[in-house]
Amino acid sequence: MTQCCFLRVHPLFWFWSFHHRMALALCLQVLCSLCGWLLLYISFCHLNKHRSYEWNCRLVTFTHGVLSIGLSAYIGFIDGPWPFTHPGSPNTPLQVHVLCLTLGYFIFDLGCIWRFAWRKSIKKYHAWRSRRSEERQLKHNGHLKIH
């Protein structure tokens, strides 16, 4: 009886199940890519202790640039399909892997931007606030206010 009910499952169940599994696989690839970029960043930080964290982030950016250009050239010129004769063709598995690798990098880079655009923004805000408070203490004629 259970088998009979199992076989009568609506065909859309299998369709959605397949797409959910594919989406989960893509998310896992992006997550693994993000972890890889983070590990590379941590490795650079340990190897280059005399350099700033932002410098090491730029090394990761350089690595991503070289890797993505190399893989894209391989896909475009060797593995195929040629993008000018087959535009809009379905992505190959290698293309999907490179896209996931790059998306993981972009998430890493966004985190770096927030970590560094926030510290710098807070420092600039505090400097602005201190200048503003000093300006408030000055009168219009340039003399300090008496408290």
Side-chain angles (χ1 to χ4, degrees), residues 77-94:
F77 296 118
I78 297 171
D79 192 45
W82 181 249
F84 299 114
T85 58
H86 296 90
S89 60
N91 291 333
T92 64
L94 182 58

